Amino acid sequence: MVHNGIIENYMEIKEFLVSQGVRFRSETDTEVVAQLLAYYYGKTGDMMSAVYRVLDRIEGAYALGILSADMPDSFIAARKDAPLLLGYGEGCSFIASDVTAIIKHTRDISYMEDGEVALVKAGAITVFDALGRQMEKEHSFVDWDVSAAEKGGYAHFMFKEIMEQPEAVRKTISPRIKEGRVAFEELKLEPDYIRGLKKIFIVACGSSYHVGVVGKYNLERLLRRPVDVMLASEFRYADPLVDEDTLVIVISQSGETLDTMAALRMAKSLGARILSIVNVVGSSIARESDDVLYTWAGPEIAVATTKAYSTQLVLLNMLGLYFGDLMGSVSPAEYSDIVWELLDLPAKMERVLENTEEIKYLASRYFNHNSIFFIGRHLDYALGLEGSLKLKEISYIHCEAYASGELKHGTISLIENGTLVVALCTYAPLFEKSLSNIVEVKARGADIVALTTNSRSRELSKTVENILSIPDTHMLLQPSLGVVPLQLFAYYVALHRGCDIDKPRNLAKSVTVE
Ligand code: F6R
């Protein structure tokens, strides 16, 4: 048995099986399912009905693949609250949690729903509903390019995906800008509903949440309405103030993150409309949302997200522009300015990617630090959250992101001679404030790596020796350029430390457990 997920009542089932004389060989919840199946199979002599009895009894989240020596030409698949898809090949069949695992073999797939059970044979799949009735499954065609899921000469998927960002961002933006206006033809939300919105919640996990933090700042500025951002794992237990007048924007690359999915369902049950920003077409979050905006990042294989983050970010900013225009809260001049800069972003990203020497040098100089702080204000704080997560997850260095204004409230006590501080100073309105924070930490002996825009780098060089400089763009879009050197810094540091960059320890690409 292959099991993805968690069986919540496994202890109780285990006790029952032990009382029936079953001997266990491991401590896993997965073995409990396998032993329970063996138990019912022994009683019924029929594997399919034994599977249904097991599904009736187990609680939790699971995607199961079941093989039995008594069924040598087939296997059984079942799911609840964990992704599972079926792949139809020529003379062969597949089950997988994620489409990227099988696109090399087939792009003809179906998504299994909760309670369904599939009997899978080479070249033939029969699906049954929760009551055991045979049913027809809708097929989806995955149009991702197969080569997009291969390394194509790069040492790591992460590096390849960093390099693919200009193209991914271009593909996400350009079909949605027509004659200088943001056009979301796929949106079903009525203009009157958008104008009447009282509140927006952005809900997500990890890096997708960090996109939401940028979104909070930018959407509040563009819409002049309250926008809240919350981690999905907190939102679902926080009894949040959500009702019919609230729009919940759910962000997820995989479209399968369990906490995000649970938050979506809860918000929906409270009457909110759900608009999701998702990368994987047809994924669970996409299917359960009222509206979906797809990021056209293509398959992302490296566990640490890069191009999905970047495409989510531009899409959320475009949404802010679109809503702000309908609400009349964004001036025509600022609107055109942002649209113009959005169109220019891919070319500017390419320029950042062409200038990596300084990043490589700084990574070689600082890769053996044990603790690194990212500081910044406003959008630079949001950017710091992502830069710090990227670095810690792939290099295993302890990193923290702090809002610079908070330093004095505790963190500054950690700064001593040689502590590395990555100071983010790309948000123009607060440049001077950020500069004074740099002076503060420098005075305590910190080594500084500063990230700023080309227009400010000369001024900053009077105070800081190590400067990474990115092209200027509209201030609300600056994180889209700022994140690229931070991704590369994390990548090169992890490379120096010999880490498993694409598959960092203890992490999974889709987090389908709580
Ligand atoms: C970090 C990273 C994770 C994901 C998070 C949410 O590099 O990839 O923090 O952002 O697990 O995943 P999705 O976006 O698939 O919901």
Side-chain angles (χ1 to χ4, degrees), residues 58-135:
I58 57 176
E59 286 163 19
Y62 49 81
L64 297 171
I66 301 163
L67 278 168
S68 161
D70 290 355
M71 298 188 318
D73 64 342
S74 48
F75 57 87
I76 296 172
R79 77 153 249 176
K80 185 175 156 280
D81 292 339
L84 191 58
L85 55 91
L86 304 167
Y88 307 89
E90 273 181 35
C92 53
S93 303
F94 303 86
I95 62 170
S97 298
D98 192 307
V99 70
T100 46
I102 58 170
I103 50 172
K104 225 187 199 168
H105 307 286
T106 179
R107 292 195 257 163
D108 180 8
I109 61 156
S110 293
Y111 290 95
M112 287 187 75
E113 301 290 347
D114 284 354
E116 291 176 359
V117 177
L119 180 64
V120 183
K121 299 187 181 208
I125 302 179
T126 320
V127 182
F128 304 90
D129 67 11
L131 298 174
R133 293 172 302 205
Q134 192 171 332
M135 56 180 287

Side-chain angles (χ1 to χ4, degrees), residues 205-208 252-254 257 303-305 312 389-390 393 511:
C205 299
S207 293
S208 298
S252 176
Q253 184 285 128
S254 62
T257 304
V303 164
T305 181
Q312 290 166 348
L389 178 63
K390 252 354 31 126
E393 67 182 326
V511 183

Side-chain angles (χ1 to χ4, degrees), residues 17 19 97-98 121 126-127 133 135 148 151 158 166 185 197 267 279 345 358 364 386 429 438 451 476 489:
L17 290 170
S19 76
S97 298
D98 192 307
K121 299 187 181 208
T126 320
V127 182
R133 293 172 302 205
M135 56 180 287
K151 278 196 204 145
M158 183 179 175
E185 280 157 12
L197 269 176
N279 193 42
L345 268 185
E358 185 66 10
S364 71
E386 179 58 8
I438 291 180
L451 177 74
L476 301 190
F489 183 66

